[in-house]
Amino acid sequence: MTTVNDEFKENEEVVMETPEQTDEIIESGENTEEIEIVENGEDTLVQELTDKLQEEESKRFRLLADYENFKRRASLDKEALQKYRAQNIVTNLIPVLDNFARALTVEAKTEEAQTMMTGLDMIYRTFVQALEDEGLVEIQALDQEFDPNFHQAIMTGSDEDKPTGIVLEQMQAGYMLKDRVLRPAMVKVNE
């Protein structure tokens, strides 16, 4: 007759496995599928986390690059704004400059008219100097090779003494503000 205590001991022996017995079961191939599933699950989890980390790092680097590009563009815009701050006012004053130049071409016949022309010439030179201080430069056209970036051809002429494409006459002065063309020179070009 077996007692309850004997049954408990038998069950205890079956339930209780030593670490050596567990290693033997694994080596013998029993329950290896479960272990591989767990290992594959951990590998997948590690891979997913690695992918997410790389994605977040990529987003961070793109954001940093966008921020650096923004700072660079803002800096360039600020420099351009400073460089061309006078563009609007200078552009509006170019017709005044043209009118002064036309007024100075009038021939003064009387002494009073000559005095007035001397005063106008002084004002004109001061005005031109103020505009040059802001960066206004007159485009040289006469006897230069025609350049559509700086000249606007409104007429053609013929002069055998000069090569084709040379500016024969300037009808209206052209101006640049620093390195930007405000108005091209209107010219007559040799055919």
Side-chain angles (χ1 to χ4, degrees):
M1 172 176 217
T2 57
T3 62
V4 176
N5 202 13
D6 291 333
E7 281 184 43
F8 180 72
K9 284 184 182 177
E10 287 177 19
N11 288 340
E12 189 176 283
E13 290 174 12
V14 172
V15 173
M16 294 253 200
E17 295 176 0
T18 62
E20 291 83 22
Q21 290 172 332
T22 306
D23 289 341
E24 288 174 14
I25 292 171
I26 291 173
E27 288 173 10
S28 69
E30 296 176 21
N31 294 331
T32 54
E33 291 178 11
E34 292 177 17
I35 293 171
E36 287 178 10
I37 291 172
V38 171
E39 287 178 1
N40 285 340
E42 287 177 4
D43 287 346
T44 305
L45 180 62
V46 169
Q47 185 62 39
E48 286 177 14
L49 291 174
T50 304
D51 291 345
K52 284 183 182 180
L53 179 63
Q54 288 175 348
E55 184 180 321
E56 291 301 319
E57 284 179 347
S58 176
K59 284 180 184 177
R60 185 175 66 93
F61 286 133
R62 274 187 256 126
L63 186 62
L64 285 173
D66 287 345
Y67 179 66
E68 288 299 320
N69 288 338
F70 169 75
K71 283 186 359 185
R72 183 179 49 81
R73 277 192 310 268
S75 175
L76 291 174
D77 289 347
K78 185 178 178 184
E79 288 174 14
L81 184 64
Q82 182 64 25
K83 186 175 182 179
Y84 301 111
R85 73 187 188 291
Q87 180 173 345
N88 287 339
I89 189 80
V90 171
T91 302
N92 291 334
L93 291 175
I94 287 175
V96 177
L97 189 63
D98 292 338
N99 289 333
F100 258 118
R102 279 189 212 100
L104 291 173
T105 60
V106 173
E107 194 175 315
K109 296 181 181 175
T110 65
E111 188 176 317
E112 187 177 302
Q114 288 176 346
T115 306
M116 187 184 307
M117 292 301 285
T118 303
L120 277 176
D121 186 50
M122 289 172 47
I123 294 169
Y124 176 74
R125 281 187 275 131
T126 305
F127 185 56
V128 168
Q129 184 61 48
L131 292 174
E132 286 175 353
D133 290 346
E134 287 299 320
L136 186 72
V137 178
E138 185 174 347
I139 296 172
Q140 298 302 314
L142 195 58
D143 294 328
Q144 301 289 319
E145 186 173 336
F146 177 76
D147 184 349
N149 296 315
F150 302 106
H151 307 129
Q152 181 179 356
I154 58 171
M155 294 176 67
T156 58
S158 182
D159 187 350
E160 278 104 36
D161 297 338
K162 296 184 180 180
T164 303
I166 295 295
V167 174
L168 296 175
E169 188 178 342
Q170 177 175 302
M171 308 301 186
Q172 185 180 43
Y175 294 99
M176 292 179 60
L177 180 63
K178 303 197 182 264
D179 57 354
R180 187 179 285 177
V181 175
L182 295 180
R183 181 178 80 185
M186 292 187 184
V187 296
K188 178 179 181 181
V189 182
N190 194 24
E191 288 186 297

